[in-house]
Amino acid sequence: MNAIDELRLFLDFAVPLCGADIAYKLRQWGHSREQAKAWLRGEAERAGGSLGENGDAIQFSDGRPRSGRAQNRVARTASELARGVAAAALLAQLEGKSGVEAFGGFYGVTARPAEADTPRVQDSGDDAVGVAARGTCPVRKPTA
């Protein structure tokens, strides 16, 4: 498996988990829709900064086992990347879109609103973030 395929596999696993964690936290914090958007935007931007600063650790990894600071740098960058993609996907959902594309994969709501198990993001007053967070964490759309 090459590095790109490994990254996609990691994101396929990690983004939905991070999305569920972020959605849970947003629901617990009780943010308004605008506060949630601002926070999610900040998370996505931080991930972009981390990727820009440390992306070489992921891109040019030779597959040898790492330890110490080198291992922490790769793990931290990969984790921040997954959180950033999940935050971007949730932000897109709050803005009425279905999700985002990242590294060749789509992360977001994969079914039409009528087909989804849970309602799509709706502005229902005070609980807009709760509706967005409930069951709509980013998932990767399977490729054909």
mmCIF file of all heavy atoms in Angstrom, residues 26-78:
data_model
loop_
_atom_site.group_PDB
_atom_site.id
_atom_site.type_symbol
_atom_site.label_atom_id
_atom_site.label_comp_id
_atom_site.label_asym_id
_atom_site.label_seq_id
_atom_site.Cartn_x
_atom_site.Cartn_y
_atom_site.Cartn_z
ATOM 1 N N LEU A 26 -19.931 20.077 20.459
ATOM 2 C CA LEU A 26 -20.732 21.249 20.084
ATOM 3 C C LEU A 26 -22.111 21.200 20.746
ATOM 4 O O LEU A 26 -22.624 22.215 21.208
ATOM 5 C CB LEU A 26 -20.882 21.336 18.564
ATOM 6 C CG LEU A 26 -19.668 21.797 17.793
ATOM 7 C CD1 LEU A 26 -19.914 21.696 16.292
ATOM 8 C CD2 LEU A 26 -19.275 23.206 18.174
ATOM 9 N N ARG A 27 -22.675 20.017 20.772
ATOM 10 C CA ARG A 27 -23.995 19.859 21.401
ATOM 11 C C ARG A 27 -23.908 20.142 22.895
ATOM 12 O O ARG A 27 -24.754 20.808 23.464
ATOM 13 C CB ARG A 27 -24.526 18.457 21.122
ATOM 14 C CG ARG A 27 -25.989 18.304 21.408
ATOM 15 C CD ARG A 27 -26.587 17.004 20.895
ATOM 16 N NE ARG A 27 -25.819 15.823 21.208
ATOM 17 C CZ ARG A 27 -25.212 15.051 20.290
ATOM 18 N NH1 ARG A 27 -25.283 15.352 19.018
ATOM 19 N NH2 ARG A 27 -24.535 13.982 20.655
ATOM 20 N N GLN A 28 -22.839 19.662 23.547
ATOM 21 C CA GLN A 28 -22.676 19.868 24.980
ATOM 22 C C GLN A 28 -22.400 21.326 25.328
ATOM 23 O O GLN A 28 -22.842 21.811 26.359
ATOM 24 C CB GLN A 28 -21.532 18.988 25.515
ATOM 25 C CG GLN A 28 -21.797 17.505 25.423
ATOM 26 C CD GLN A 28 -23.051 17.096 26.160
ATOM 27 O OE1 GLN A 28 -23.250 17.456 27.307
ATOM 28 N NE2 GLN A 28 -23.917 16.361 25.480
ATOM 29 N N TRP A 29 -21.637 22.010 24.487
ATOM 30 C CA TRP A 29 -21.290 23.404 24.762
ATOM 31 C C TRP A 29 -22.472 24.342 24.566
ATOM 32 O O TRP A 29 -22.479 25.437 25.108
ATOM 33 C CB TRP A 29 -20.144 23.856 23.872
ATOM 34 C CG TRP A 29 -18.845 23.176 24.167
ATOM 35 C CD1 TRP A 29 -18.460 22.607 25.351
ATOM 36 C CD2 TRP A 29 -17.768 22.977 23.270
ATOM 37 N NE1 TRP A 29 -17.203 22.072 25.242
ATOM 38 C CE2 TRP A 29 -16.746 22.283 23.970
ATOM 39 C CE3 TRP A 29 -17.550 23.309 21.940
ATOM 40 C CZ2 TRP A 29 -15.545 21.929 23.378
ATOM 41 C CZ3 TRP A 29 -16.352 22.948 21.362
ATOM 42 C CH2 TRP A 29 -15.365 22.277 22.077
ATOM 43 N N GLY A 30 -23.444 23.939 23.773
ATOM 44 C CA GLY A 30 -24.624 24.772 23.567
ATOM 45 C C GLY A 30 -24.358 26.014 22.730
ATOM 46 O O GLY A 30 -25.029 27.027 22.899
ATOM 47 N N HIS A 31 -23.404 25.944 21.817
ATOM 48 C CA HIS A 31 -23.099 27.088 20.959
ATOM 49 C C HIS A 31 -24.276 27.418 20.045
ATOM 50 O O HIS A 31 -25.029 26.535 19.639
ATOM 51 C CB HIS A 31 -21.908 26.787 20.051
ATOM 52 C CG HIS A 31 -20.581 26.841 20.735
ATOM 53 N ND1 HIS A 31 -20.319 27.601 21.834
ATOM 54 C CD2 HIS A 31 -19.415 26.219 20.433
ATOM 55 C CE1 HIS A 31 -19.061 27.454 22.190
ATOM 56 N NE2 HIS A 31 -18.487 26.602 21.360
ATOM 57 N N SER A 32 -24.389 28.695 19.697
ATOM 58 C CA SER A 32 -25.343 29.094 18.666
ATOM 59 C C SER A 32 -24.788 28.642 17.318
ATOM 60 O O SER A 32 -23.628 28.232 17.215
ATOM 61 C CB SER A 32 -25.518 30.613 18.659
ATOM 62 O OG SER A 32 -24.339 31.238 18.189
ATOM 63 N N ARG A 33 -25.588 28.739 16.295
ATOM 64 C CA ARG A 33 -25.157 28.349 14.954
ATOM 65 C C ARG A 33 -23.921 29.148 14.534
ATOM 66 O O ARG A 33 -22.958 28.589 14.011
ATOM 67 C CB ARG A 33 -26.297 28.551 13.961
ATOM 68 C CG ARG A 33 -25.933 28.205 12.523
ATOM 69 C CD ARG A 33 -27.122 28.396 11.602
ATOM 70 N NE ARG A 33 -28.042 27.302 11.705
ATOM 71 C CZ ARG A 33 -27.979 26.182 10.975
ATOM 72 N NH1 ARG A 33 -27.008 26.018 10.127
ATOM 73 N NH2 ARG A 33 -28.861 25.241 11.121
ATOM 74 N N GLU A 34 -23.928 30.440 14.755
ATOM 75 C CA GLU A 34 -22.797 31.287 14.354
ATOM 76 C C GLU A 34 -21.548 30.979 15.176
ATOM 77 O O GLU A 34 -20.443 30.965 14.643
ATOM 78 C CB GLU A 34 -23.161 32.765 14.453
ATOM 79 C CG GLU A 34 -24.208 33.203 13.431
ATOM 80 C CD GLU A 34 -23.850 32.790 11.999
ATOM 81 O OE1 GLU A 34 -22.690 33.026 11.575
ATOM 82 O OE2 GLU A 34 -24.718 32.220 11.320
ATOM 83 N N GLN A 35 -21.703 30.732 16.462
ATOM 84 C CA GLN A 35 -20.556 30.359 17.295
ATOM 85 C C GLN A 35 -19.971 29.030 16.837
ATOM 86 O O GLN A 35 -18.748 28.867 16.789
ATOM 87 C CB GLN A 35 -20.966 30.259 18.769
ATOM 88 C CG GLN A 35 -21.276 31.572 19.419
ATOM 89 C CD GLN A 35 -21.874 31.374 20.802
ATOM 90 O OE1 GLN A 35 -22.649 30.444 21.044
ATOM 91 N NE2 GLN A 35 -21.515 32.264 21.724
ATOM 92 N N ALA A 36 -20.833 28.080 16.513
ATOM 93 C CA ALA A 36 -20.367 26.774 16.044
ATOM 94 C C ALA A 36 -19.615 26.919 14.724
ATOM 95 O O ALA A 36 -18.560 26.311 14.540
ATOM 96 C CB ALA A 36 -21.549 25.816 15.885
ATOM 97 N N LYS A 37 -20.154 27.723 13.816
ATOM 98 C CA LYS A 37 -19.475 27.945 12.536
ATOM 99 C C LYS A 37 -18.089 28.548 12.748
ATOM 100 O O LYS A 37 -17.115 28.122 12.128
ATOM 101 C CB LYS A 37 -20.302 28.854 11.635
ATOM 102 C CG LYS A 37 -21.493 28.199 11.005
ATOM 103 C CD LYS A 37 -22.196 29.201 10.100
ATOM 104 C CE LYS A 37 -23.388 28.622 9.402
ATOM 105 N NZ LYS A 37 -24.034 29.600 8.515
ATOM 106 N N ALA A 38 -18.005 29.545 13.615
ATOM 107 C CA ALA A 38 -16.716 30.193 13.873
ATOM 108 C C ALA A 38 -15.729 29.201 14.478
ATOM 109 O O ALA A 38 -14.548 29.161 14.092
ATOM 110 C CB ALA A 38 -16.901 31.402 14.791
ATOM 111 N N TRP A 39 -16.193 28.375 15.417
ATOM 112 C CA TRP A 39 -15.309 27.401 16.055
ATOM 113 C C TRP A 39 -14.844 26.350 15.043
ATOM 114 O O TRP A 39 -13.665 26.007 14.991
ATOM 115 C CB TRP A 39 -16.013 26.745 17.238
ATOM 116 C CG TRP A 39 -15.096 25.893 18.042
ATOM 117 C CD1 TRP A 39 -14.254 26.290 19.039
ATOM 118 C CD2 TRP A 39 -14.896 24.481 17.898
ATOM 119 N NE1 TRP A 39 -13.553 25.209 19.518
ATOM 120 C CE2 TRP A 39 -13.923 24.087 18.838
ATOM 121 C CE3 TRP A 39 -15.451 23.510 17.066
ATOM 122 C CZ2 TRP A 39 -13.499 22.777 18.965
ATOM 123 C CZ3 TRP A 39 -15.015 22.199 17.184
ATOM 124 C CH2 TRP A 39 -14.060 21.843 18.133
ATOM 125 N N LEU A 40 -15.773 25.850 14.228
ATOM 126 C CA LEU A 40 -15.421 24.855 13.228
ATOM 127 C C LEU A 40 -14.453 25.429 12.199
ATOM 128 O O LEU A 40 -13.507 24.755 11.780
ATOM 129 C CB LEU A 40 -16.682 24.326 12.532
ATOM 130 C CG LEU A 40 -17.581 23.435 13.384
ATOM 131 C CD1 LEU A 40 -18.925 23.231 12.708
ATOM 132 C CD2 LEU A 40 -16.903 22.105 13.666
ATOM 133 N N ARG A 41 -14.683 26.662 11.795
ATOM 134 C CA ARG A 41 -13.775 27.317 10.856
ATOM 135 C C ARG A 41 -12.365 27.404 11.445
ATOM 136 O O ARG A 41 -11.371 27.131 10.774
ATOM 137 C CB ARG A 41 -14.309 28.710 10.502
ATOM 138 C CG ARG A 41 -13.661 29.332 9.303
ATOM 139 C CD ARG A 41 -14.387 30.605 8.854
ATOM 140 N NE ARG A 41 -15.685 30.279 8.270
ATOM 141 C CZ ARG A 41 -16.875 30.555 8.833
ATOM 142 N NH1 ARG A 41 -16.939 31.183 9.988
ATOM 143 N NH2 ARG A 41 -17.994 30.222 8.236
ATOM 144 N N GLY A 42 -12.287 27.761 12.712
ATOM 145 C CA GLY A 42 -10.991 27.835 13.392
ATOM 146 C C GLY A 42 -10.302 26.482 13.457
ATOM 147 O O GLY A 42 -9.087 26.386 13.246
ATOM 148 N N GLU A 43 -11.054 25.419 13.741
ATOM 149 C CA GLU A 43 -10.482 24.066 13.778
ATOM 150 C C GLU A 43 -9.927 23.670 12.415
ATOM 151 O O GLU A 43 -8.841 23.117 12.310
ATOM 152 C CB GLU A 43 -11.543 23.038 14.195
ATOM 153 C CG GLU A 43 -11.777 22.944 15.670
ATOM 154 C CD GLU A 43 -10.583 22.384 16.411
ATOM 155 O OE1 GLU A 43 -10.205 21.221 16.186
ATOM 156 O OE2 GLU A 43 -10.026 23.130 17.225
ATOM 157 N N ALA A 44 -10.692 23.955 11.358
ATOM 158 C CA ALA A 44 -10.244 23.606 10.012
ATOM 159 C C ALA A 44 -8.999 24.409 9.631
ATOM 160 O O ALA A 44 -8.064 23.873 9.026
ATOM 161 C CB ALA A 44 -11.366 23.837 9.007
ATOM 162 N N GLU A 45 -8.979 25.683 10.000
ATOM 163 C CA GLU A 45 -7.811 26.519 9.698
ATOM 164 C C GLU A 45 -6.573 26.057 10.466
ATOM 165 O O GLU A 45 -5.468 26.052 9.923
ATOM 166 C CB GLU A 45 -8.115 27.982 9.997
ATOM 167 C CG GLU A 45 -9.076 28.603 9.006
ATOM 168 C CD GLU A 45 -9.529 30.002 9.393
ATOM 169 O OE1 GLU A 45 -9.118 30.516 10.466
ATOM 170 O OE2 GLU A 45 -10.305 30.587 8.623
ATOM 171 N N ARG A 46 -6.750 25.683 11.728
ATOM 172 C CA ARG A 46 -5.617 25.172 12.514
ATOM 173 C C ARG A 46 -5.051 23.904 11.876
ATOM 174 O O ARG A 46 -3.836 23.700 11.822
ATOM 175 C CB ARG A 46 -6.043 24.886 13.948
ATOM 176 C CG ARG A 46 -5.947 26.088 14.854
ATOM 177 C CD ARG A 46 -6.196 25.712 16.306
ATOM 178 N NE ARG A 46 -7.566 25.318 16.588
ATOM 179 C CZ ARG A 46 -8.590 26.165 16.697
ATOM 180 N NH1 ARG A 46 -8.398 27.451 16.549
ATOM 181 N NH2 ARG A 46 -9.790 25.729 16.973
ATOM 182 N N ALA A 47 -5.937 23.056 11.395
ATOM 183 C CA ALA A 47 -5.481 21.819 10.743
ATOM 184 C C ALA A 47 -4.712 22.146 9.471
ATOM 185 O O ALA A 47 -3.690 21.512 9.184
ATOM 186 C CB ALA A 47 -6.671 20.923 10.426
ATOM 187 N N GLY A 48 -5.181 23.129 8.717
ATOM 188 C CA GLY A 48 -4.466 23.534 7.514
ATOM 189 C C GLY A 48 -3.085 24.069 7.840
ATOM 190 O O GLY A 48 -2.104 23.773 7.143
ATOM 191 N N GLY A 49 -2.993 24.847 8.920
ATOM 192 C CA GLY A 49 -1.692 25.354 9.350
ATOM 193 C C GLY A 49 -0.758 24.242 9.779
ATOM 194 O O GLY A 49 0.433 24.251 9.453
ATOM 195 N N SER A 50 -1.300 23.283 10.490
ATOM 196 C CA SER A 50 -0.494 22.143 10.940
ATOM 197 C C SER A 50 -0.011 21.330 9.746
ATOM 198 O O SER A 50 1.141 20.904 9.701
ATOM 199 C CB SER A 50 -1.301 21.260 11.883
ATOM 200 O OG SER A 50 -0.560 20.133 12.269
ATOM 201 N N LEU A 51 -0.894 21.123 8.782
ATOM 202 C CA LEU A 51 -0.516 20.376 7.586
ATOM 203 C C LEU A 51 0.552 21.134 6.802
ATOM 204 O O LEU A 51 1.524 20.538 6.321
ATOM 205 C CB LEU A 51 -1.737 20.107 6.708
ATOM 206 C CG LEU A 51 -1.501 19.243 5.477
ATOM 207 C CD1 LEU A 51 -1.023 17.854 5.882
ATOM 208 C CD2 LEU A 51 -2.768 19.150 4.652
ATOM 209 N N GLY A 52 0.403 22.450 6.709
ATOM 210 C CA GLY A 52 1.401 23.242 6.006
ATOM 211 C C GLY A 52 2.750 23.225 6.691
ATOM 212 O O GLY A 52 3.795 23.200 6.043
ATOM 213 N N GLU A 53 2.730 23.210 8.015
ATOM 214 C CA GLU A 53 3.970 23.227 8.778
ATOM 215 C C GLU A 53 4.624 21.857 8.880
ATOM 216 O O GLU A 53 5.846 21.740 8.858
ATOM 217 C CB GLU A 53 3.681 23.758 10.186
ATOM 218 C CG GLU A 53 4.898 23.931 11.045
ATOM 219 C CD GLU A 53 4.556 24.503 12.413
ATOM 220 O OE1 GLU A 53 3.624 25.330 12.499
ATOM 221 O OE2 GLU A 53 5.210 24.114 13.387
ATOM 222 N N ASN A 54 3.816 20.815 9.002
ATOM 223 C CA ASN A 54 4.349 19.470 9.267
ATOM 224 C C ASN A 54 3.956 18.426 8.228
ATOM 225 O O ASN A 54 4.166 17.236 8.456
ATOM 226 C CB ASN A 54 3.872 18.992 10.637
ATOM 227 C CG ASN A 54 4.334 19.884 11.747
ATOM 228 O OD1 ASN A 54 5.516 20.138 11.892
ATOM 229 N ND2 ASN A 54 3.392 20.394 12.527
ATOM 230 N N GLY A 55 3.379 18.840 7.122
ATOM 231 C CA GLY A 55 2.910 17.887 6.119
ATOM 232 C C GLY A 55 4.003 17.014 5.542
ATOM 233 O O GLY A 55 3.755 15.880 5.127
ATOM 234 N N ASP A 56 5.219 17.526 5.540
ATOM 235 C CA ASP A 56 6.325 16.731 5.024
ATOM 236 C C ASP A 56 6.545 15.472 5.846
ATOM 237 O O ASP A 56 6.999 14.446 5.326
ATOM 238 C CB ASP A 56 7.603 17.556 4.960
ATOM 239 C CG ASP A 56 8.050 18.061 6.325
ATOM 240 O OD1 ASP A 56 7.177 18.431 7.140
ATOM 241 O OD2 ASP A 56 9.270 18.087 6.575
ATOM 242 N N ALA A 57 6.205 15.523 7.130
ATOM 243 C CA ALA A 57 6.373 14.343 7.988
ATOM 244 C C ALA A 57 5.469 13.211 7.520
ATOM 245 O O ALA A 57 5.826 12.034 7.626
ATOM 246 C CB ALA A 57 6.052 14.688 9.440
ATOM 247 N N ILE A 58 4.318 13.565 6.983
ATOM 248 C CA ILE A 58 3.399 12.548 6.465
ATOM 249 C C ILE A 58 3.760 12.199 5.026
ATOM 250 O O ILE A 58 3.847 11.043 4.654
ATOM 251 C CB ILE A 58 1.941 13.049 6.542
ATOM 252 C CG1 ILE A 58 1.523 13.222 7.995
ATOM 253 C CG2 ILE A 58 0.997 12.094 5.830
ATOM 254 C CD1 ILE A 58 0.170 13.850 8.170
ATOM 255 N N GLN A 59 3.994 13.213 4.229
ATOM 256 C CA GLN A 59 4.222 13.016 2.805
ATOM 257 C C GLN A 59 5.491 12.228 2.501
ATOM 258 O O GLN A 59 5.505 11.395 1.615
ATOM 259 C CB GLN A 59 4.280 14.372 2.106
ATOM 260 C CG GLN A 59 4.428 14.289 0.611
ATOM 261 C CD GLN A 59 4.434 15.656 -0.030
ATOM 262 O OE1 GLN A 59 4.402 16.670 0.644
ATOM 263 N NE2 GLN A 59 4.473 15.682 -1.349
ATOM 264 N N PHE A 60 6.553 12.500 3.224
ATOM 265 C CA PHE A 60 7.836 11.888 2.907
ATOM 266 C C PHE A 60 8.246 10.803 3.894
ATOM 267 O O PHE A 60 9.418 10.472 3.996
ATOM 268 C CB PHE A 60 8.926 12.965 2.820
ATOM 269 C CG PHE A 60 8.641 13.968 1.747
ATOM 270 C CD1 PHE A 60 8.362 15.280 2.083
ATOM 271 C CD2 PHE A 60 8.624 13.602 0.413
ATOM 272 C CE1 PHE A 60 8.092 16.212 1.090
ATOM 273 C CE2 PHE A 60 8.356 14.521 -0.577
ATOM 274 C CZ PHE A 60 8.088 15.835 -0.243
ATOM 275 N N SER A 61 7.298 10.244 4.596
ATOM 276 C CA SER A 61 7.618 9.162 5.519
ATOM 277 C C SER A 61 8.080 7.949 4.714
ATOM 278 O O SER A 61 7.481 7.589 3.709
ATOM 279 C CB SER A 61 6.395 8.799 6.360
ATOM 280 O OG SER A 61 6.707 7.739 7.211
ATOM 281 N N ASP A 62 9.136 7.333 5.156
ATOM 282 C CA ASP A 62 9.674 6.183 4.436
ATOM 283 C C ASP A 62 9.201 4.846 5.006
ATOM 284 O O ASP A 62 9.664 3.793 4.613
ATOM 285 C CB ASP A 62 11.202 6.232 4.410
ATOM 286 C CG ASP A 62 11.809 6.227 5.809
ATOM 287 O OD1 ASP A 62 11.050 6.086 6.793
ATOM 288 O OD2 ASP A 62 13.031 6.383 5.916
ATOM 289 N N GLY A 63 8.283 4.907 5.955
ATOM 290 C CA GLY A 63 7.724 3.680 6.513
ATOM 291 C C GLY A 63 8.516 3.075 7.643
ATOM 292 O O GLY A 63 8.095 2.078 8.229
ATOM 293 N N ARG A 64 9.684 3.643 7.946
ATOM 294 C CA ARG A 64 10.463 3.109 9.065
ATOM 295 C C ARG A 64 9.788 3.483 10.378
ATOM 296 O O ARG A 64 9.189 4.556 10.490
ATOM 297 C CB ARG A 64 11.875 3.690 9.051
ATOM 298 C CG ARG A 64 12.720 3.132 7.933
ATOM 299 C CD ARG A 64 14.116 3.648 8.033
ATOM 300 N NE ARG A 64 14.074 5.117 7.933
ATOM 301 C CZ ARG A 64 15.121 5.901 8.107
ATOM 302 N NH1 ARG A 64 16.286 5.396 8.405
ATOM 303 N NH2 ARG A 64 15.011 7.205 7.977
ATOM 304 N N PRO A 65 9.882 2.621 11.374
ATOM 305 C CA PRO A 65 9.309 2.955 12.682
ATOM 306 C C PRO A 65 9.952 4.218 13.250
ATOM 307 O O PRO A 65 11.158 4.424 13.109
ATOM 308 C CB PRO A 65 9.634 1.746 13.550
ATOM 309 C CG PRO A 65 9.974 0.659 12.614
ATOM 310 C CD PRO A 65 10.492 1.307 11.363
ATOM 311 N N ARG A 66 9.141 5.051 13.861
ATOM 312 C CA ARG A 66 9.621 6.292 14.455
ATOM 313 C C ARG A 66 9.447 6.212 15.965
ATOM 314 O O ARG A 66 8.633 5.477 16.483
ATOM 315 C CB ARG A 66 8.821 7.495 13.949
ATOM 316 C CG ARG A 66 8.839 7.665 12.451
ATOM 317 C CD ARG A 66 10.139 8.312 12.026
ATOM 318 N NE ARG A 66 10.091 8.700 10.636
ATOM 319 C CZ ARG A 66 10.888 8.180 9.712
ATOM 320 N NH1 ARG A 66 11.748 7.258 10.009
ATOM 321 N NH2 ARG A 66 10.809 8.588 8.473
ATOM 322 N N SER A 67 10.210 7.023 16.655
ATOM 323 C CA SER A 67 10.044 7.124 18.102
ATOM 324 C C SER A 67 10.299 8.566 18.502
ATOM 325 O O SER A 67 10.796 9.373 17.724
ATOM 326 C CB SER A 67 11.017 6.184 18.836
ATOM 327 O OG SER A 67 12.347 6.567 18.553
ATOM 328 N N GLY A 68 9.926 8.887 19.713
ATOM 329 C CA GLY A 68 10.200 10.219 20.244
ATOM 330 C C GLY A 68 9.488 11.326 19.498
ATOM 331 O O GLY A 68 8.330 11.204 19.111
ATOM 332 N N ARG A 69 10.200 12.435 19.283
ATOM 333 C CA ARG A 69 9.613 13.612 18.653
ATOM 334 C C ARG A 69 9.131 13.353 17.227
ATOM 335 O O ARG A 69 8.108 13.886 16.816
ATOM 336 C CB ARG A 69 10.606 14.768 18.655
ATOM 337 C CG ARG A 69 10.584 15.528 19.945
ATOM 338 C CD ARG A 69 11.249 16.844 19.771
ATOM 339 N NE ARG A 69 12.663 16.682 20.092
ATOM 340 C CZ ARG A 69 13.546 17.629 20.013
ATOM 341 N NH1 ARG A 69 13.202 18.818 19.607
ATOM 342 N NH2 ARG A 69 14.790 17.407 20.335
ATOM 343 N N ALA A 70 9.866 12.565 16.467
ATOM 344 C CA ALA A 70 9.475 12.279 15.086
ATOM 345 C C ALA A 70 8.137 11.543 15.049
ATOM 346 O O ALA A 70 7.269 11.852 14.233
ATOM 347 C CB ALA A 70 10.548 11.458 14.376
ATOM 348 N N GLN A 71 7.949 10.590 15.941
ATOM 349 C CA GLN A 71 6.692 9.850 16.007
ATOM 350 C C GLN A 71 5.560 10.777 16.442
ATOM 351 O O GLN A 71 4.467 10.739 15.873
ATOM 352 C CB GLN A 71 6.812 8.679 16.974
ATOM 353 C CG GLN A 71 5.549 7.852 17.075
ATOM 354 C CD GLN A 71 5.675 6.742 18.095
ATOM 355 O OE1 GLN A 71 6.402 6.874 19.085
ATOM 356 N NE2 GLN A 71 4.990 5.653 17.877
ATOM 357 N N ASN A 72 5.814 11.599 17.434
ATOM 358 C CA ASN A 72 4.781 12.523 17.912
ATOM 359 C C ASN A 72 4.378 13.516 16.831
ATOM 360 O O ASN A 72 3.208 13.871 16.717
ATOM 361 C CB ASN A 72 5.275 13.266 19.153
ATOM 362 C CG ASN A 72 5.365 12.356 20.358
ATOM 363 O OD1 ASN A 72 4.749 11.300 20.396
ATOM 364 N ND2 ASN A 72 6.160 12.766 21.332
ATOM 365 N N ARG A 73 5.342 13.970 16.036
ATOM 366 C CA ARG A 73 5.049 14.930 14.971
ATOM 367 C C ARG A 73 4.129 14.318 13.925
ATOM 368 O O ARG A 73 3.160 14.933 13.490
ATOM 369 C CB ARG A 73 6.367 15.377 14.336
ATOM 370 C CG ARG A 73 6.216 16.415 13.276
ATOM 371 C CD ARG A 73 7.577 16.871 12.791
ATOM 372 N NE ARG A 73 7.432 17.769 11.670
ATOM 373 C CZ ARG A 73 8.240 17.779 10.635
ATOM 374 N NH1 ARG A 73 9.284 16.969 10.592
ATOM 375 N NH2 ARG A 73 8.044 18.616 9.653
ATOM 376 N N VAL A 74 4.395 13.098 13.513
ATOM 377 C CA VAL A 74 3.553 12.427 12.529
ATOM 378 C C VAL A 74 2.162 12.173 13.100
ATOM 379 O O VAL A 74 1.155 12.460 12.459
ATOM 380 C CB VAL A 74 4.200 11.102 12.056
ATOM 381 C CG1 VAL A 74 3.238 10.294 11.199
ATOM 382 C CG2 VAL A 74 5.480 11.385 11.288
ATOM 383 N N ALA A 75 2.096 11.634 14.298
ATOM 384 C CA ALA A 75 0.799 11.325 14.919
ATOM 385 C C ALA A 75 -0.018 12.591 15.152
ATOM 386 O O ALA A 75 -1.217 12.620 14.870
ATOM 387 C CB ALA A 75 1.015 10.580 16.236
ATOM 388 N N ARG A 76 0.619 13.638 15.646
ATOM 389 C CA ARG A 76 -0.088 14.893 15.909
ATOM 390 C C ARG A 76 -0.607 15.514 14.607
ATOM 391 O O ARG A 76 -1.747 15.951 14.524
ATOM 392 C CB ARG A 76 0.828 15.864 16.643
ATOM 393 C CG ARG A 76 0.145 17.154 17.068
ATOM 394 C CD ARG A 76 1.070 18.103 17.808
ATOM 395 N NE ARG A 76 2.197 18.517 16.973
ATOM 396 C CZ ARG A 76 3.463 18.127 17.147
ATOM 397 N NH1 ARG A 76 3.789 17.319 18.134
ATOM 398 N NH2 ARG A 76 4.416 18.542 16.347
ATOM 399 N N THR A 77 0.213 15.514 13.565
ATOM 400 C CA THR A 77 -0.192 16.090 12.286
ATOM 401 C C THR A 77 -1.345 15.303 11.676
ATOM 402 O O THR A 77 -2.322 15.886 11.191
ATOM 403 C CB THR A 77 1.003 16.131 11.308
ATOM 404 O OG1 THR A 77 2.059 16.885 11.911
ATOM 405 C CG2 THR A 77 0.620 16.778 9.997
ATOM 406 N N ALA A 78 -1.264 13.993 11.711
ATOM 407 C CA ALA A 78 -2.337 13.155 11.166
ATOM 408 C C ALA A 78 -3.632 13.355 11.948
ATOM 409 O O ALA A 78 -4.722 13.458 11.363
ATOM 410 C CB ALA A 78 -1.923 11.690 11.178
#
